[in-house]
Amino acid sequence: MPIINRIAGFHNEMIEWRHDIHSNPELAYQEKKTAKKVAALLKDFGVDEVVEGIGGTGVVGVIKNGEGKKVALRADMDALPIREANQCDHVSNNDGVMHACGHDGHTTMLLGAAKYLAETRKFKGQVILVFQPAEEGFAGAKAMIDDGLFEKFPADSIYGMHNMPGLETGHLRVAPGPMMAAADNFDIKISGKGAHGAMPEDSIDPIVCGSALVQAIQSLVSRNSDPKKTLVVSVTKFNSGHAYNVIPDYAELSGTIRYFDQETGKFIRKKFPKIVEDLCATYGAKAEVDYKEGYPPTINENTSSEFALKVAKEVAGSNASDQQMPMMGSEDFSYFLQEKPGAYAWIGNGNSASLHNPSYDFNDDNLPIGASFLARIAENKLL
Ligand SMILES: [Zn+2]
Ligand SMILES: [Zn+2]
């Protein structure tokens, strides 16, 4: 079965929802209008239970059809603090805020699946529709879990998807293992001793120490970590000093650390502060390290991923594959995958501007494909 005919039949309606959400973008945990719209549509479709305010502005809908398994399908609703550069009719009405990651499209695809599933109910069990807030850096998925999402709605598995510019429109990719990286951040303050710029013998120079540190922490990647495992350590800020002739007394460095597996994460959290502190000590400086654990890696569970690939092939034929496309970006769907077996898929957005670019727009041709994929996941899972 390719795209579900009934879903293709209301493609224009989905485009209207998507454009309305795109015109009214809202930042993390402020998705009030979006959540209201989602809840109103779900009720309109005849979804049996609609609960608002989970994890802040999250919305959950449940479509029930007798006894059986429970599958969760997830979309994200938040936009980004970006001024939109597009000239289209559905351009953002909220200046400086924009759906530049396609979450308007993700929300609409899940709404499309919900409308079809509530109408046809060709499954046994429950479909749990999860519309989460705050994916962009503010862990809305975790907020929903901490607010009792899976106690109130005990799903057996969970599936989600994200659009991908550069991959052909409507192509689906889902593979076992890592899809997105973990994203930890760090701040380091090096305290030295200030002095006259011409009299370095009186100083403990935090700039020289910091420069050595930038080099030394690369050895975490090149000499300490298993070369078969991906690890990125980037220093992205280095601030110090204010005058030509003054050696400052401190320097501040910040950056990001990305990896795909939890073992590497454990290792780096232990090793990173030690390398920083020891290196600074050899210069006589003192280091304070604030290591901030971020989103975990997004790892698809094997069986769920094989199942999702089968469904993807049903919907998209030879445009579906399990070609590995791990990205070094991060995604808070990872928190759901720590709780439940499931999988996360890519859907091609064609030749669009990249994600988080002011000229990006979600490709409306994807709406019936993505909605069919999600709907068929539910129907196949709940036989
Ligand atoms: Zn994004
Ligand atoms: Zn996104």
Side-chain angles (χ1 to χ4, degrees), residues 80 100-103 135-136 162 330 355-356:
L80 285 154
C101 203
H103 299 184
E135 191 287 320
E136 297 286 2
H162 202 292
S330 67
L355 298 171
H356 297 203

Side-chain angles (χ1 to χ4, degrees), residues 63-295:
I63 311 171
K64 300 175 184 171
N65 204 37
E67 290 302 306
K69 286 197 199 138
K70 300 178 173 78
V71 65
L73 305 173
R74 169 273 202 175
D76 39 14
M77 300 190 292
D78 57 321
L80 285 154
I82 293 174
R83 179 160 291 118
E84 181 158 12
N86 292 316
Q87 304 287 331
C88 54
D89 290 345
H90 56 277
V91 68
S92 169
N93 290 325
N94 187 359
D95 193 29
V97 181
M98 176 192 174
H99 270 294
C101 203
H103 299 184
D104 50 342
H106 305 163
T107 297
T108 303
M109 292 189 290
L110 186 53
L111 284 168
K115 180 179 163 81
Y116 164 82
L117 290 165
E119 190 177 285
T120 53
R121 301 193 187 232
K122 287 191 275 186
F123 62 85
K124 281 197 191 74
Q126 294 187 11
V127 183
I128 299 163
L129 309 153
V130 179
F131 294 87
Q132 75 153 82
E135 191 287 320
E136 297 286 2
F138 295 92
K142 188 169 183 301
M144 289 189 88
I145 294 166
D146 291 348
D147 201 12
L149 173 70
F150 291 129
E151 284 79 43
K152 288 173 199 147
F153 307 99
D156 300 304
S157 56
I158 186 158
Y159 295 85
M161 68 200 300
H162 202 292
N163 76 94
M164 177 55 65
L167 178 63
E168 281 172 84
T169 308
H171 283 223
L172 294 165
R173 293 281 182 278
V174 57
M179 294 293 279
M180 301 282 270
D184 296 347
N185 293 326
F186 60 83
D187 293 308
I188 298 167
K189 182 169 182 185
I190 301 171
S191 300
K193 187 175 161 222
H196 194 295
M199 300 169 197
E201 73 276 18
D202 293 333
S203 75
I204 295 173
D205 188 337
I207 295 182
V208 171
C209 173
S211 304
L213 184 60
V214 172
Q215 300 288 335
I217 58 179
Q218 286 309 320
S219 71
L220 281 165
V221 181
S222 65
R223 298 293 88 177
N224 289 269
S225 152
D226 181 343
K228 296 188 289 304
K229 291 182 177 171
T230 304
L231 175 64
V232 176
V233 179
S234 293
V235 174
T236 54
K237 288 201 275 182
F238 190 154
N239 297 316
S240 185
H242 57 277
Y244 286 116
N245 56 356
V246 178
I247 293 171
D249 59 359
Y250 74 93
E252 288 175 325
L253 289 79
S254 302
T256 192
I257 296 179
R258 307 288 170 118
Y259 51 87
F260 283 126
D261 85 17
Q262 296 286 29
E263 284 307 306
T264 305
K266 257 190 232 159
F267 149 77
I268 200 94
R269 283 193 287 279
K270 213 169 119 200
K271 191 82 179 175
F272 181 82
K274 186 157 167 48
I275 282 203
V276 173
E277 283 156 15
D278 290 357
L279 189 280
C280 289
T282 64
Y283 282 78
K286 199 174 155 288
E288 287 163 62
V289 182
D290 183 9
Y291 191 99
K292 303 165 201 288
E293 213 175 312
Y295 290 176

Side-chain angles (χ1 to χ4, degrees), residues 4-22:
I4 296 171
N5 282 336
R6 176 67 191 118
I7 291 180
F10 58 75
H11 190 175
N12 285 337
E13 209 178 328
M14 280 196 281
I15 293 174
E16 276 171 33
W17 304 335
R18 211 279 290 175
H19 288 189
D20 182 48
I21 297 169
H22 191 95

